[in-house]
Amino acid sequence: MVIEGFEGEPGSRPPMADLLTAGLHASLTDPALEGMNLLNELVMRFPDAISFSAGRPFEGFFRVEDLHRYLRTYCDHLEKELGYTSEQVVRTLFQYGRTKGVIHELIARNLAVDEGIKADPDSIVVTVGCQEAMYLVLRALRTDERDVLLAVSPMYVGITGAAKLVDMPVLGVEDGEELSDLQAVVDRARAEGLRPRALYLVPDFSNPSGHTLSVATRHRLLEIAEREDLLLLEDNPYGLFSLEDERMPTLKSLDTGRRVVYLGSFAKTCFPGARVGFAVADQYVWDGRSERAELFADQLSKIKSMLTVNTPAFAQALVAGKLLESGYSLSSANEDLRQVYRNNLRRLLDGLARRFPPDGPYKVTWNTPGGGFFVVLDVPFTVTDDLLEHCAREYGVLWVPMHHFYDGRSSTNQLRLSCSALSAGQIDEGLDRFADFVADSMN
Amino acid sequence: MVIEGFEGEPGSRPPMADLLTAGLHASLTDPALEGMNLLNELVMRFPDAISFSAGRPFEGFFRVEDLHRYLRTYCDHLEKELGYTSEQVVRTLFQYGRTKGVIHELIARNLAVDEGIKADPDSIVVTVGCQEAMYLVLRALRTDERDVLLAVSPMYVGITGAAKLVDMPVLGVEDGEELSDLQAVVDRARAEGLRPRALYLVPDFSNPSGHTLSVATRHRLLEIAEREDLLLLEDNPYGLFSLEDERMPTLKSLDTGRRVVYLGSFAKTCFPGARVGFAVADQYVWDGRSERAELFADQLSKIKSMLTVNTPAFAQALVAGKLLESGYSLSSANEDLRQVYRNNLRRLLDGLARRFPPDGPYKVTWNTPGGGFFVVLDVPFTVTDDLLEHCAREYGVLWVPMHHFYDGRSSTNQLRLSCSALSAGQIDEGLDRFADFVADSMN
């Protein structure tokens, strides 16, 4: 058969094949994506290695019976608080439903209680994880080759991936307390005839850098966004997990000009298996004719109707159950979990300090995040995927080379350690193995 | 502020707006999408109208307690049949998981039992409804402006919508027993420098036409697909719901050359609220270098990892529970439901025959589907959205103007009636109202 897009050497014979990668969308051969697949593959190949690589939540508090209770709690809420008939309850759970979701009122209350965000429930789109919310926003904003996304770099691979699906270039803005080169990146883009539409960032305990933006920087970002007509895509999966009790205000809670699209996730505060996230998109969208504007959330909802139709009602019900049982405060519902993450992060930072003292033989340094799951190390040697594989095989410990978070680069002197899913003993043992690896890598 | 993409008349002042529709992706102003929103809006505005418009499943057999049992059944399966520890069960349900899904083995058994399809479980990607599966396939196949999709017309709006999201033009192939103009459409496209990648179709009781392809036509389609290097995207949501007991073989069960990507849905055979569908994509994909090819399913999985990451494990568990309890046969599990749909379709067809006899005053004709949810009527007047609104307000009955299923057209002489979610009494009353509407529309 003719193979669509076959471009092998003259005479080269393909194995039995129906399609060629060259005949498929470019996102499928993107380095960022290939990188993540390689990392997942290494985790599979070395199941006994201690993994500092995954940003998965701690599993110790998950209970199957909770799922049954959450579902009953939500059904009781529908019947007793909202006065639904049993037919309406059944319809809500089993049938096609509202594209923007059915737990938007509960999410709005949670945002008020935990994040200081006053969100109109109609401005909330419940999505299949935060990843779908990212896609919906980028799909809406990418109209032609002039539209580009800005993202704080090093970048979360999820946003890079979503951008690839809509062929949207991503321009990096160097991470750091000030995000001081944002204006320069915007100016350069406009000079090249490009149209920067939005800046993606994780203001609290960023993935992968662990950085947190100061309040002053948050205010300055909102000013720049207003002046440059940028949206700020605020992704906040780790905000609850601060080392200290006081927290920074979310960008959205400071947003008086509808510049921020807030991207929410329940993966770390409830359970990843539900795949429930959301976007708060309260921007007004005008068609140039009508008397009144629509909400951006309703535009995102239209795209969702062509992508996943609904977020599974059963999954929404489980998250709703946990929200209802906690009085809408995931901060209080996760008190034990927050303590686990604080202890793990402190143990990781203390363990690094003990093993790599400033006056020690190895020049290993790291940042000290105010919370979250991630610490970035600077090491005195080049960090590649091959080195990771060597470390996994010979030392039984996994981590993530930072180059995966820089679009295009193939190596840096940095690596990321994650401690969210590990026990204290695993952290200690893992750091011992890691220290041996560093020592041997120097000689 | 500057409004991105503002193109109003000089001096025209927009209402308070942050974004303009003209500055958002073209899919958001697509007629097909606007049409569906209008139809949904009419259903909301006339809640007391009898709706022949929605293709929703019958709700009479849904029970909330079944959800709890399905979840327990799946957990028992993991522990007792697969030997999972309780930690592994918890991880499967709560944690991030396999991108291609966790119930692929069960789906493969169901396909063998109900559809005569021998599917390698690794070739199955479990998706957030069949809609996500459509998107994944089209995203993979659309590489540049030359790639086009063929679809049997009148077209299911879901495939039109998914194509809009990847900016993929859709060329209509006229519906009918033979699909006789397929070759001509392919030739014309190639002559214009286009690259037809796939043909989307619903071979059994199509939505909206109700048509079913003969076995001979199915074999001929497979020949054309092989010769023209087309994939056949077989969507089969209604296959179980035939009027008679004998069923046609699925295209996939006849597919010896890996030409068919089978698109499966559990929305009609389990529950829409789960949003669980899947694709069987067993095509070999070669990168032009490697010794061995990959499965197309693994390419779709890579795209899914950038779109929704996983299909919610909880939702997969509920479908799995129903599959396990039925011995993998949704045909037998849905015996009562199949009878409801048969009775409804017969009642609709008989009711039409009684109200619009051949020798009667009104030239109303319709097709006689072999099953499924839909009947298409030809009426002696032009069917527009305004007429539908008039019918809803004055006669309290809803249906769908067929022009919504023809990309671009604004009116036809056809309308679609759906009977899946109605009671016998609603069908009779709805047809009485509809007959009055037809009579008055003639005068």
Side-chain angles (χ1 to χ4, degrees):
Chain A
M1 59 171 287
V2 180
I3 294 183
E4 190 63 57
F6 177 54
E7 287 159 5
E9 289 303 304
S12 76
R13 294 178 51 252
M16 183 159 66
D18 310 304
L19 295 161
L20 278 195
T21 310
L24 301 178
H25 187 251
S27 59
L28 288 165
T29 48
D30 184 70
L33 183 57
E34 302 263 314
M36 291 329 283
N37 290 328
L38 176 133
L39 295 174
N40 294 333
E41 187 203 303
L42 282 178
V43 174
M44 307 279 216
R45 276 176 52 204
F46 301 100
D48 301 333
I50 293 175
S51 177
F52 288 108
S53 68
R56 307 178 134 218
F58 178 73
E59 295 172 4
F61 300 123
F62 293 147
R63 302 277 180 274
V64 173
E65 53 267 34
D66 290 346
L67 301 178
H68 293 284
R69 198 186 64 255
Y70 291 142
L71 181 56
R72 284 190 294 267
T73 299
Y74 180 60
C75 290
D76 288 349
H77 165 74
L78 293 179
E79 286 182 343
K80 302 191 174 119
E81 291 177 53
L82 303 188
Y84 279 32
T85 64
S86 56
E87 288 71 21
Q88 287 173 307
V89 171
V90 162
R91 185 168 299 131
T92 302
L93 289 176
F94 284 83
Q95 194 53 280
Y96 293 104
R98 184 173 178 272
T99 308
K100 284 197 289 183
V102 292
I103 64 170
H104 49 301
E105 304 269 0
L106 307 182
I107 292 172
R109 293 191 204 180
N110 167 247
L111 288 172
V113 170
D114 280 341
E115 306 297 342
I117 295 171
K118 294 184 186 56
D120 172 0
D122 280 334
S123 72
I124 295 172
V125 184
V126 185
T127 54
V128 182
C130 191
Q131 189 65 32
E132 188 190 26
M134 294 179 193
Y135 176 87
L136 296 179
V137 172
L138 298 190
R139 175 66 294 174
L141 295 178
R142 171 70 169 174
T143 61
D144 63 39
E145 65 292 341
R146 290 171 298 172
D147 298 306
V148 295
L149 175 69
L150 310 180
V152 173
S153 175
M155 294 171 198
Y156 171 54
V157 292
I159 196 68
T160 321
K164 301 289 177 187
L165 291 185
V166 298
D167 302 301
M168 190 172 200
V170 183
L171 307 181
V173 174
E174 201 183 321
D175 199 356
E177 173 51 38
E178 296 295 317
L179 296 186
S180 43
D181 71 339
L182 172 58
Q183 186 66 58
V185 173
V186 170
D187 295 343
R188 209 175 315 125
R190 294 207 197 279
E192 293 167 11
L194 300 174
R195 206 159 47 191
R197 300 300 302 270
L199 170 68
Y200 169 86
L201 72 170
V202 183
D204 297 274
F205 325 126
S206 185
N207 178 8
S209 74
H211 284 167
T212 296
L213 298 179
S214 69
V215 177
T217 301
R218 293 172 196 237
H219 283 291
R220 204 168 48 75
L221 276 179
L222 289 162
E223 289 163 23
I224 295 175
E226 178 69 27
R227 189 174 68 238
E228 296 293 340
D229 188 26
L230 288 175
L231 290 174
L232 300 176
L233 312 184
E234 177 180 33
D235 187 4
N236 184 27
Y238 312 107
L240 286 187
F241 306 117
S242 54
L243 273 184
E244 308 305 329
D245 286 340
E246 64 276 9
R247 291 179 50 199
M248 293 282 184
T250 55
L251 269 173
K252 189 60 181 169
S253 68
L254 304 172
D255 176 30
T256 55
R258 299 184 309 280
R259 291 284 97 205
V260 177
V261 174
Y262 183 85
L263 302 171
S265 169
F266 292 111
K268 311 299 188 291
T269 54
C270 291
F271 10 76
R275 306 302 309 129
V276 177
F278 62 94
V280 180
D282 57 4
Q283 290 70 28
Y284 297 134
V285 179
W286 189 48
D287 63 8
R289 304 182 306 274
S290 309
E291 281 307 303
R292 45 186 288 285
E294 274 190 322
L295 285 169
F296 192 35
D298 292 309
Q299 306 296 314
L300 301 182
S301 175
K302 289 179 192 173
I303 295 175
K304 182 175 172 65
S305 72
M306 299 181 274
L307 193 67
T308 59
V309 184
N310 291 169
T311 299
F314 305 131
Q316 292 185 69
L318 298 175
V319 168
K322 182 158 185 172
L323 288 173
L324 289 161
E325 292 181 10
S326 68
Y328 310 105
S329 174
L330 293 174
S331 174
S332 61
N334 288 304
E335 202 38 72
D336 296 350
L337 183 63
R338 293 168 70 199
Q339 205 50 57
V340 167
Y341 290 144
R342 286 176 176 186
N343 296 342
N344 281 5
L345 185 54
R346 290 206 180 97
R347 195 171 195 94
L348 180 66
L349 292 168
D350 296 348
L352 286 168
R354 240 191 336 279
R355 290 167 180 81
F356 302 105
D359 56 355
Y362 311 119
K363 295 209 64 56
V364 174
T365 58
W366 55 91
N367 62 332
T368 303
F373 291 4
F374 310 108
V375 175
V376 176
L377 274 64
D378 283 83
V379 294
F381 47 83
T382 305
V383 178
T384 63
D385 292 338
D386 291 345
L387 191 65
L388 169 60
E389 181 166 356
H390 168 75
C391 181
R393 187 188 306 104
E394 302 301 325
Y395 300 87
V397 60
L398 287 159
W399 33 266
V400 180
M402 281 293 288
H403 73 79
H404 289 291
F405 304 105
Y406 294 95
D407 213 5
R409 292 198 215 172
S410 67
S411 72
T412 69
N413 275 29
Q414 296 186 314
L415 56 88
R416 189 194 77 179
L417 298 184
S418 169
C419 56
S420 52
L422 299 176
S423 69
Q426 288 172 313
I427 292 172
D428 295 345
E429 171 64 21
L431 284 179
D432 286 340
R433 299 180 186 183
F434 180 75
D436 293 341
F437 156 74
V438 170
D440 298 349
S441 302
M442 306 292 298
N443 310 329
Chain B
M1 59 172 285
V2 180
I3 292 182
E4 190 62 56
F6 176 54
E7 288 160 4
E9 289 302 304
S12 74
R13 292 178 50 253
M16 183 160 63
D18 310 303
L19 295 160
L20 280 194
T21 310
L24 300 177
H25 188 252
S27 59
L28 288 166
T29 47
D30 184 72
L33 183 56
E34 301 262 313
M36 290 332 280
N37 290 328
L38 176 134
L39 294 175
N40 294 333
E41 185 205 302
L42 282 178
V43 174
M44 307 279 215
R45 277 175 51 204
F46 300 100
D48 301 333
I50 292 174
S51 177
F52 287 109
S53 67
R56 307 181 134 215
F58 178 73
E59 295 172 5
F61 300 123
F62 293 145
R63 301 277 179 275
V64 174
E65 53 268 32
D66 291 345
L67 301 178
H68 293 284
R69 199 186 63 257
Y70 291 142
L71 181 56
R72 284 190 294 268
T73 298
Y74 181 61
C75 291
D76 288 348
H77 166 74
L78 293 178
E79 286 182 344
K80 303 195 174 114
E81 290 178 54
L82 303 188
Y84 278 32
T85 64
S86 56
E87 288 71 22
Q88 288 172 306
V89 171
V90 162
R91 184 167 300 133
T92 302
L93 289 175
F94 285 83
Q95 193 53 278
Y96 293 103
R98 184 173 176 273
T99 308
K100 284 198 289 184
V102 293
I103 63 170
H104 49 301
E105 303 269 359
L106 308 182
I107 291 172
R109 294 192 204 180
N110 167 246
L111 288 172
V113 171
D114 280 341
E115 306 296 343
I117 295 171
K118 292 181 191 57
D120 172 1
D122 280 333
S123 72
I124 294 172
V125 184
V126 185
T127 54
V128 181
C130 190
Q131 188 66 32
E132 187 191 28
M134 293 178 193
Y135 176 87
L136 297 179
V137 172
L138 298 190
R139 175 66 294 174
L141 295 178
R142 171 70 167 174
T143 62
D144 64 38
E145 66 290 342
R146 290 170 299 170
D147 297 307
V148 296
L149 175 69
L150 311 179
V152 173
S153 175
M155 294 170 201
Y156 171 53
V157 292
I159 195 68
T160 319
K164 302 291 179 189
L165 291 185
V166 297
D167 303 300
M168 190 172 198
V170 183
L171 308 181
V173 174
E174 201 184 323
D175 199 355
E177 173 52 36
E178 296 294 317
L179 297 186
S180 44
D181 72 338
L182 172 59
Q183 186 66 59
V185 173
V186 171
D187 295 343
R188 209 176 313 124
R190 294 208 196 279
E192 292 167 11
L194 300 174
R195 205 159 46 193
R197 299 300 302 269
L199 169 68
Y200 169 86
L201 73 169
V202 183
D204 297 273
F205 325 127
S206 185
N207 177 10
S209 74
H211 284 167
T212 297
L213 298 180
S214 70
V215 177
T217 301
R218 292 169 197 240
H219 282 292
R220 204 168 49 76
L221 275 179
L222 289 162
E223 289 163 24
I224 294 175
E226 178 68 27
R227 189 175 67 238
E228 297 292 341
D229 189 24
L230 289 175
L231 290 174
L232 299 176
L233 311 185
E234 176 180 33
D235 188 5
N236 183 26
Y238 313 106
L240 286 187
F241 306 117
S242 54
L243 272 184
E244 308 305 330
D245 286 339
E246 65 275 10
R247 291 179 51 197
M248 292 283 184
T250 54
L251 270 174
K252 190 59 181 169
S253 69
L254 303 173
D255 176 31
T256 55
R258 300 184 309 279
R259 290 285 97 206
V260 177
V261 174
Y262 183 85
L263 302 171
S265 168
F266 292 111
K268 311 301 188 291
T269 54
C270 291
F271 12 76
R275 306 302 309 130
V276 177
F278 62 95
V280 181
D282 56 4
Q283 289 71 28
Y284 297 134
V285 179
W286 189 48
D287 63 8
R289 302 182 307 274
S290 308
E291 281 307 301
R292 43 185 290 285
E294 275 189 321
L295 285 169
F296 191 36
D298 291 309
Q299 306 296 314
L300 300 182
S301 176
K302 289 178 193 175
I303 295 174
K304 182 175 172 65
S305 72
M306 299 181 273
L307 193 67
T308 59
V309 184
N310 291 168
T311 299
F314 305 131
Q316 292 185 70
L318 298 175
V319 169
K322 182 157 185 174
L323 288 173
L324 288 161
E325 292 180 10
S326 68
Y328 309 105
S329 174
L330 293 174
S331 174
S332 62
N334 288 305
E335 201 39 70
D336 295 352
L337 183 62
R338 293 166 69 198
Q339 204 50 56
V340 167
Y341 290 144
R342 286 177 176 184
N343 294 343
N344 281 4
L345 185 54
R346 291 206 180 97
R347 194 171 195 94
L348 180 66
L349 293 169
D350 295 348
L352 286 168
R354 242 193 334 280
R355 291 168 178 82
F356 302 104
D359 55 356
Y362 311 119
K363 295 209 63 55
V364 175
T365 59
W366 55 91
N367 62 331
T368 303
F373 291 5
F374 309 108
V375 175
V376 176
L377 275 65
D378 284 82
V379 295
F381 47 84
T382 304
V383 178
T384 64
D385 293 337
D386 290 345
L387 192 65
L388 168 60
E389 181 167 354
H390 169 74
C391 181
R393 186 187 308 103
E394 302 301 325
Y395 300 87
V397 61
L398 288 159
W399 33 265
V400 180
M402 281 293 288
H403 72 80
H404 289 292
F405 304 106
Y406 293 95
D407 212 7
R409 294 198 213 172
S410 68
S411 72
T412 68
N413 275 29
Q414 296 187 312
L415 55 87
R416 189 194 77 178
L417 298 184
S418 169
C419 56
S420 52
L422 299 176
S423 68
Q426 288 171 313
I427 292 172
D428 295 344
E429 172 64 21
L431 284 178
D432 286 340
R433 299 180 186 184
F434 180 75
D436 293 342
F437 156 73
V438 170
D440 298 350
S441 303
M442 306 289 300
N443 310 331

